Amino acid sequence: MFKPIETDRLIIRKFRPDDFTELYEYLSDINVVRYEPYEPYTLEETKREAEFRSNSDEYFAVTLKDCGRLIGNLYLGKRDFNSYELGYVFNRDWQMSGYATESAKALLDYTFGTLQAHRVTARCNPVNYRSYKLMERLGMRREAELKKNVYFRKDSSGNPVWQDTLIYAILVEEWREQHE
């Protein structure tokens, strides 16, 4: 059972179905979901998504410690051989304040400490400068740049709009070394 993680300014907890209003604020924002594999959510879709996330072990709500406001989310997907994939999406109003770094670092501490992970990876579009800079602040190293390997949308003729992907990773021994 996941116990909420507390940092200096944040609480990272499981989602609740009633998080949909604040979740909608950023999942409906085209500027926030630009690099995500989905279009902006409608309110009804967000209600279903909040319900889904409340029953998932892979999504974590990031809330402000002083008032409980949901400002973003983290994703931690389990992969083979005790490896995980990290993801994050934050409300535009709370970006550029260190909240993503603070929460992702705390989740990595949990992943390597409590879950005894071997490896954590993360991916982003190379155009998404802020995302890969976050991975680098977390001590992750760039392992690959895949060319035109994925598409989330199609053009008006029905052809894929291909995108590149950066892959970052960190091993448990690298994480330990950073914390010595």
Side-chain angles (χ1 to χ4, degrees):
M1 178 120 190
F2 179 77
K3 181 181 167 195
I5 299 169
E6 192 171 313
T7 69
D8 289 341
R9 303 180 294 166
L10 304 168
I11 294 177
I12 302 158
R13 61 166 172 78
K14 299 290 289 172
F15 267 91
R16 300 185 304 244
D18 65 350
D19 285 326
F20 75 89
T21 304
E22 292 167 345
L23 184 62
Y24 177 70
E25 284 182 23
Y26 63 92
L27 289 187
S28 65
D29 185 338
I30 186 65
N31 294 309
V32 171
V33 301
R34 171 179 305 151
Y35 301 109
E36 297 300 319
Y38 47 81
E39 296 295 327
Y41 276 57
T42 65
L43 184 58
E44 285 306 311
E45 289 169 333
T46 307
K47 286 179 182 178
R48 289 191 296 275
E49 185 67 15
E51 181 70 35
F52 168 78
R53 290 180 182 200
S54 72
N55 293 306
S56 173
D57 292 329
E58 296 185 329
Y59 289 92
F60 300 89
V62 178
T63 63
L64 295 173
K65 187 190 243 181
D66 61 355
C67 64
R69 188 180 204 309
L70 175 69
I71 62 167
N73 62 260
L74 298 169
Y75 168 80
L76 188 66
K78 179 88 166 86
R79 303 296 182 257
D80 291 338
F81 304 107
N82 215 26
S83 294
Y84 292 83
E85 183 173 355
L86 174 69
Y88 36 81
V89 179
F90 277 77
N91 186 314
R92 188 169 21 149
D93 293 340
W94 281 274
Q95 292 179 5
M96 305 296 293
S97 300
Y99 293 122
T101 302
E102 184 176 330
S103 60
K105 183 183 179 320
L107 190 61
L108 284 177
D109 286 341
Y110 167 79
T111 305
F112 286 118
T114 303
L115 300 180
Q116 299 294 299
H118 161 69
R119 170 184 169 85
V120 176
T121 62
R123 302 166 180 256
C124 75
N125 185 310
V127 177
N128 193 349
Y129 173 82
R130 288 194 280 180
S131 185
Y132 73 76
K133 288 313 247 180
L134 169 58
M135 294 176 210
E136 291 170 359
R137 282 192 304 278
L138 295 171
M140 302 178 91
R141 77 194 128 59
R142 187 180 296 187
E143 290 193 332
E145 182 171 356
L146 307 177
K147 297 295 185 181
K148 295 185 178 183
N149 69 305
V150 66
Y151 72 92
F152 304 134
R153 293 160 184 82
K154 295 180 181 176
D155 65 19
S156 58
S157 301
N159 297 312
V161 177
W162 293 105
Q163 295 183 36
D164 299 344
T165 303
L166 295 178
I167 300 175
Y168 279 75
I170 186 168
L171 298 170
V172 64
E173 51 267 28
E174 294 168 318
W175 187 253
R176 282 189 193 125
E177 188 175 296
Q178 290 176 18
H179 290 81
E180 290 178 350

